[in-house]
Amino acid sequence: MIERAAEALSTSRRILVFTGAGISTESGIPDFRGPQGLWKRFDPSDYTYNRYLTDREFREQSWKRHFESPYLSAVPNDAHRAVTLLWESGRSIGCVTQNIDGLHAAAGLPNRALVEVHGNAHTAHCISCGAEPTLSDIEQRWRSGDTDPRCGSCGGILKTKIVYFGEDLPTEAIARAWRMTEDADAVLVVGSSLCVYPAAFIPLDVVDRGHPLVIVNQGATDHDFRAAALIDGPAATVLPLLIDRLLA
Ligand code: APR
């Protein structure tokens, strides 16, 4: 598997890496559709932007879940570090991630090489005036009993910058991602079921342009049939092996 994947990427010098929740499970963050996935325990249709805006109890539950979630305390694993190593080698144009955990940045990938198309759990904003209080400020207020913290400037609803279902994707991030697909000469998908759109259109655009797709994933994805090579294994183990082989 590793040899075939390295061969498929051997002539590529502008690899776009596309990651999903599977790259972070070995950092203690559950994925959504894997065997222990969140959507096996919660109904995703509950997590809508409209419900967040209109249902105070849901907002209070969201803040509680957020400050008690593994996102904020997780640390990068060897797969995140392998993505950074590939970028530092000059063979990758960067990473588009669906993840909101901030672990690619924590693994040393600079902002210019990272696009977070579903937002980031470490930042928040006022949905009315756009003010951006720090998450630690909001957390301090939440831990003091303010269960539905409001904007200090205009009294508006505060929300983390995690994209909820029904919420627009960050336009600047999406535009950057499409520019990367135009520049890429291969795409390496790590830890994604490739079943959520428009995000999944991003790696598929590189394939549509005639470039190779390599998938590192435990279990099948929706687009395995389009891959030049598949590595079915835990990303924190197999991705460093692939990158080492590629850069050897
Ligand atoms: N190594 C490799 N693959 C893994 C690992 C691992 N350690 N752990 C899990 N996986 C695989 C799972 O088997 C699954 O196929 O990663 C894939 C993760 O798929 P999803 O859970 O669907 O996550 P993702 O593709 O990121 O979901 C996309 O859906 O709910 C929305 O906004 C959410 O960004 C998310 C989007």
Side-chain angles (χ1 to χ4, degrees), residues 86-192:
L86 182 65
W87 183 76
E88 289 170 343
S89 77
R91 294 279 295 273
S92 168
I93 57 172
C95 174
V96 174
T97 188
Q98 301 170 98
N99 299 340
I100 58 169
D101 52 38
L103 293 184
H104 281 298
L109 204 59
N111 285 341
R112 67 183 182 279
L114 177 61
V115 180
E116 296 173 315
V117 292
H118 289 163
N120 182 295
H122 297 268
T123 51
H125 66 149
C126 170
I127 60 165
S128 300
C129 73
E132 296 196 1
T134 64
L135 196 70
S136 54
D137 165 58
I138 298 172
E139 181 171 10
Q140 197 174 2
R141 289 162 53 188
W142 181 78
R143 294 196 186 282
S144 308
D146 184 355
T147 56
D148 183 21
R150 293 302 182 106
C151 175
S153 308
C154 76
I157 291 172
L158 294 178
K159 182 178 173 297
T160 64
K161 285 192 175 180
I162 298 170
V163 177
Y164 277 43
F165 289 111
E167 186 175 2
D168 292 339
L169 296 184
T171 43
E172 197 269 336
I174 291 294
R176 281 186 62 210
W178 287 120
R179 286 197 295 273
M180 289 171 94
T181 64
E182 290 166 10
D183 184 32
D185 63 2
V187 58
L188 171 58
V189 170
V190 185
S192 179

Side-chain angles (χ1 to χ4, degrees), residues 5-91:
E7 177 55 33
L9 297 173
S10 58
T11 60
S12 301
R13 293 294 176 273
R14 298 190 313 283
I15 300 168
L16 172 59
V17 180
F18 181 83
T19 63
I23 200 171
S24 295
T25 54
E26 291 166 273
S27 293
I29 298 175
D31 64 13
F32 298 95
R33 298 170 188 83
Q36 311 303 322
L38 283 176
W39 298 150
K40 297 272 196 300
R41 287 176 275 154
F42 299 101
D43 178 354
S45 62
D46 285 345
Y47 292 78
T48 63
Y49 186 55
N50 183 55
R51 185 162 179 215
Y52 187 88
L53 299 187
T54 55
D55 181 338
R56 176 188 172 101
E57 189 181 343
F58 179 66
R59 281 200 303 278
E60 291 177 335
Q61 290 165 0
S62 299
W63 283 117
K64 179 173 181 355
R65 264 196 312 275
H66 191 72
F67 290 126
E68 294 173 352
S69 79
Y71 289 128
L72 301 180
S73 55
V75 295
N77 63 56
D78 287 343
H80 298 102
R81 284 184 281 274
V83 172
T84 303
L85 180 65
L86 182 65
W87 183 76
E88 289 170 343
S89 77
R91 294 279 295 273

